[in-house]
Amino acid sequence: MTAYQSWGGYPKLAQQARLLRWRDAELPVPGDGLSVLPFGNGRSYGDSCLNENGVLLVARGLDRLIAFDPATGILRCEAGVLLADILRFIVPQGWFVPVTPGTQYVTVGGAIANDVHGKNHHRAGTFGCHVSRFELLRSDGARLVCSPAENQALFGATIGGLGLTGVIVAAELKLKRIASPFIAAETIRFDTLDQFFELSETSDRAYEYTVAWIDCLSRGRALGRGIYLRGNHAGPFCCAQPKIARRKLSFPLQLPFSLVNGLTLQAFNRLYYHKQRQRSLHANFYYQPFFYPLDSILGWNRMYGSKGFLQYQCAVPTRHARGAMREILERIARSRTGSFLTVLKLFGAATSPGLLSFPLPGATLALDFPNRGAPTFELLNRLDEVVLAAGGRVYPAKDARMSGDSFRRYFPRWSEFRRHIDPRFSSSFWRRVME
Ligand SMILES: Cc1cc2nc3c(=O)[nH]c(=O)nc-3n(C[C@H](O)[C@H](O)[C@H](O)COP(=O)(O)OP(=O)(O)OC[C@H]3O[C@@H](n4cnc5c(N)ncnc54)[C@H](O)[C@@H]3O)c2cc1C
């Protein structure tokens, strides 16, 4: 049994693990009938990357770059390569990943299997929109090249397919050309939820990257206030390259209790909102602090203590976005719990090839909750009611508790997807939502 965990530290499950090292080797599927599940770098928050009483096929050992064409920006790599490794290699050559989540410590396989999105969703869609092909290894030994032209149905099922269709061993990505590793950014303080929507509408037209931090404990007229961040890749010669990589801090201990409570949350949210005194500030950020502020404190998830935490990310269609987000934020503020980092963004209309892809045109909200047992789960159920009524959905990559009924309503193509699951593959998430 191994100590593999997801990022939220909840649930903690017993499972075996086998490390994958060679992409041309067969899958080590156990003879005793136990199910298997690929594991990337465990940056999913809940149980979608876990397989209780089964076997994890740990893909981090598939960590080689295979080929790169600096003229076209086409990169081929093994699926256990981290985005951090890709960026270290391509940024000095004037290229960038087309889509990145809020951490660079995810594998290419994990990014495809959750069809991750980033601050440029309104322009670029999801990660899967930029994958031209991948090689999928199935438990019967079949090795399938999947692309929009070959094994098309399996291509669509595997993008956002939660690791259930086989192991992606290698992939080909289309990168994005950049003139500088810096982002020319602006932060704007806003006072109401309506102002967030107005800012988003104008910013999404002119800026490649947009997102807002929200004070999740503010109420009344201040409900939904926050700081809006927008930026574009800077032009050439904009700034001097940082010479020394800043040393990363590390959260040292797994405490038995959570440091996140009503008092620390309220103090942090107030301070953060008021720290920007001017309405608007311009700055050039090196790409790492702009895209990955949380990566500067390694192991920050430990501050939630041994019971872990639950992340909740929902998306609500445009026509209900304002009303549903208001109701969700009110329910959170009333509960007096929430997180240091609450993120609100508008998704764009780009469609992903993925059958179970999470984003939809509308607004998405993401935040963490310390795991306080029943009250936390009850609050999340109350948030689900709003999301379901608005025709929205909750992100499986962040989930450890949604009901099967909710899952099937959020993702109506689940039965079409189910036909593509490899019969030896399963996950704790999948068994939970299929019960
Ligand atoms: C700080 C932080 C910020 C984040 N921000 C965002 C964000 O902005 N947007 C967003 O979309 N997500 C975000 N996430 C979530 C994260 O991007 C996803 O959960 C991502 O899929 C994790 O990748 P991983 O390599 O760690 O994979 P894991 O978490 O280990 O696995 C994820 C899924 O991929 C499958 N999988 C892994 N490798 C393979 C493979 N080789 N073949 C087939 N299936 C495989 C697993 O079975 C599992 O279902 C964030 C997470 C953190 C911790």
Side-chain angles (χ1 to χ4, degrees):
M1 295 294 154
T2 73
Y4 282 94
Q5 277 191 32
S6 59
W7 191 246
Y10 175 85
K12 292 186 173 61
L13 304 175
Q15 54 219 316
Q16 300 174 34
R18 311 260 160 94
L19 184 66
L20 308 182
R21 283 297 295 164
W22 307 106
R23 67 178 182 275
D24 52 2
E26 281 185 12
L27 286 184
V29 178
D32 52 12
L34 290 184
S35 68
V36 297
L37 181 75
F39 186 87
N41 203 31
R43 258 42 180 193
S44 300
Y45 283 75
D47 56 359
S48 65
C49 62
L50 301 178
N51 189 17
E52 188 174 23
N53 298 326
V55 178
L56 294 178
L57 302 177
V58 180
R60 271 291 284 131
L62 304 172
D63 58 0
R64 300 157 194 97
L65 300 177
I66 301 170
F68 177 57
D69 181 347
T72 59
I74 302 286
L75 174 79
R76 281 197 288 131
C77 65
E78 292 185 341
V81 169
L82 296 176
L83 295 194
D85 300 327
I86 296 179
L87 288 164
R88 207 173 303 119
F89 174 68
I90 61 169
V91 169
Q93 302 188 60
W95 291 93
F96 204 70
V97 285
V99 166
T100 177
T103 172
Q104 59 187 325
Y105 301 123
V106 302
T107 62
V108 166
I112 296 173
N114 275 325
D115 199 16
V116 299
H117 56 270
K119 295 180 178 65
N120 61 350
H121 184 273
H122 59 286
R123 288 274 178 94
T126 58
F127 195 85
C129 300
H130 306 272
V131 174
S132 34
R133 51 181 25 212
F134 52 77
E135 190 178 331
L136 189 71
L137 193 48
R138 305 267 292 184
S139 62
D140 61 3
R143 196 173 278 278
L144 304 167
V145 172
C146 303
S147 73
E150 299 157 275
N151 296 304
Q152 192 185 3
L154 209 45
F155 182 72
T158 302
I159 293 176
L162 303 167
L164 295 167
T165 62
V167 174
I168 303 162
V169 290
E172 184 179 278
L173 316 174
K174 290 172 281 184
L175 304 180
K176 175 185 171 55
R177 180 76 63 218
I178 51 168
S180 143
F182 286 86
I183 305 293
E186 184 182 7
T187 47
I188 304 168
R189 193 159 48 82
F190 60 91
D191 304 324
T192 65
L193 193 58
D194 282 338
Q195 282 178 19
F196 161 80
F197 282 97
E198 283 147 26
L199 266 171
S200 295
E201 267 156 39
T202 49
S203 304
D204 283 355
R205 281 196 286 274
Y207 291 86
E208 172 123 24
Y209 301 106
T210 61
V211 73
W213 166 85
I214 297 280
D215 172 358
C216 66
L217 296 180
S218 60
R219 299 176 73 171
R221 285 167 56 114
L223 184 93
R225 70 181 183 181
I227 309 281
Y228 197 88
L229 173 67
R230 59 191 191 183
N232 284 319
H233 288 281
F237 319 117
C238 115
C239 326
Q241 189 92 2
K243 290 218 170 48
I244 308 161
R246 277 208 328 221
R247 257 193 77 199
K248 292 197 178 355
L249 300 170
S250 180
F251 197 82
L253 298 169
Q254 173 84 73
L255 299 169
F257 53 88
S258 171
L259 290 179
V260 184
N261 55 45
L263 281 177
T264 54
L265 277 175
Q266 189 140 31
F268 175 88
N269 276 277
R270 277 214 185 122
L271 271 173
Y272 196 87
Y273 175 73
H274 287 293
K275 112 182 145 98
Q276 176 161 328
R277 299 175 75 177
Q278 300 92 324
R279 172 83 27 200
S280 148
L281 276 178
H282 290 266
N284 291 317
F285 288 90
Y286 192 55
Y287 76 88
Q288 285 173 339
F290 181 84
F291 289 105
Y292 313 116
L294 287 172
D295 285 351
S296 61
I297 306 177
L298 299 174
W300 60 262
N301 52 344
R302 293 192 197 139
M303 78 180 166
Y304 282 95
S306 55
K307 287 191 186 147
F309 65 104
L310 293 109
Q311 161 124 163
Y312 190 81
Q313 181 168 1
C314 61
V316 172
T318 307
R319 66 182 182 288
H320 297 303
R322 284 185 195 230
M325 286 302 164
R326 184 172 300 284
E327 181 59 33
I328 288 170
L329 286 170
E330 268 167 10
R331 289 184 186 204
I332 293 168
R334 271 204 301 274
S335 75
R336 308 191 65 74
T337 181
S339 66
F340 294 124
L341 195 74
T342 301
V343 168
L344 185 59
K345 163 157 184 67
L346 294 193
F347 279 147
T351 45
S352 161
L355 282 184
L356 295 189
S357 188
F358 162 69
L360 48 73
T364 183
L365 178 81
L367 72 164
D368 303 332
F369 294 96
N371 178 12
R372 299 211 177 99
T376 307
F377 288 77
E378 281 156 21
L379 169 66
L380 300 184
N381 289 341
R382 289 199 297 279
L383 303 187
D384 281 349
E385 289 164 8
V386 183
V387 176
L388 281 166
R393 55 177 71 133
V394 169
Y395 193 8
K398 310 279 182 87
D399 180 73
R401 35 66 56 192
M402 74 169 81
S403 71
D405 181 52
S406 301
F407 174 78
R408 289 186 286 272
R409 289 169 67 190
Y410 294 145
F411 297 95
R413 297 180 78 182
W414 66 272
S415 55
E416 187 184 344
F417 166 77
R418 193 160 63 162
R419 293 201 288 274
H420 300 288
I421 295 180
D422 186 305
R424 291 300 306 274
F425 280 51
S426 183
S427 69
S428 293
F429 172 88
W430 190 251
R431 291 189 290 277
R432 179 163 58 78
V433 299
M434 283 298 121
E435 260 171 18

